[in-house]
Amino acid sequence: MSFLCVSADVYERLSKPGSKPSFFNMIVTQLVSGVWHGVFAGYWMFFATTAFMFQASRVIYRYETTWPEQWRTFAPWYMFKIVMSALVLSYAGSAFMVLSY
């Protein structure tokens, strides 16, 4: 069984039929993903952090869709999002430095 199937099953089974998945679903799914990768705390920290990253990106996207089209496609805004994504992912990736903690 592939990893993606396990993650999708956990994510979908935690929500009640007819309701939208919540942040709780995401955090549990990401923690299961961390356990799936190994018993090291670095994996758990990384995957828990990515749950917060996903939730933040959803909020920012929802907010951004209220802007006029010319603001959303403004080149400096794209560059800002790229730089911020790189910084946040670098911060989250530092959890791999403590794999043997």
Side-chain angles (χ1 to χ4, degrees):
M1 178 180 283
S2 76
F3 169 70
L4 291 176
C5 292
V6 171
S7 292
D9 284 345
V10 171
Y11 188 68
E12 292 172 359
R13 290 179 189 223
L14 286 173
S15 59
K16 296 176 183 171
S19 68
K20 293 176 72 177
S22 66
F23 178 68
F24 175 76
N25 298 51
M26 178 62 68
I27 195 86
V28 170
T29 302
Q30 293 303 92
L31 288 174
V32 167
S33 299
V35 172
W36 180 274
H37 279 82
V39 293
F40 300 111
Y43 291 131
W44 305 340
M45 289 169 32
F46 175 77
F47 282 102
T49 304
T50 59
F52 288 99
M53 291 168 46
F54 294 149
Q55 187 65 27
S57 69
R58 287 179 180 172
V59 170
I60 292 168
Y61 177 77
R62 228 177 288 131
Y63 179 69
E64 189 180 34
T65 57
T66 64
W67 295 357
E69 181 67 27
Q70 61 191 12
W71 291 6
R72 285 182 274 164
T73 57
F74 191 51
W77 176 243
Y78 273 140
M79 290 305 298
F80 176 75
K81 290 194 305 186
I82 290 170
V83 168
M84 286 307 295
S85 296
L87 289 173
V88 170
L89 192 55
S90 295
Y91 173 77
S94 65
F96 285 103
M97 301 302 281
V98 294
L99 282 179
S100 60
Y101 177 66

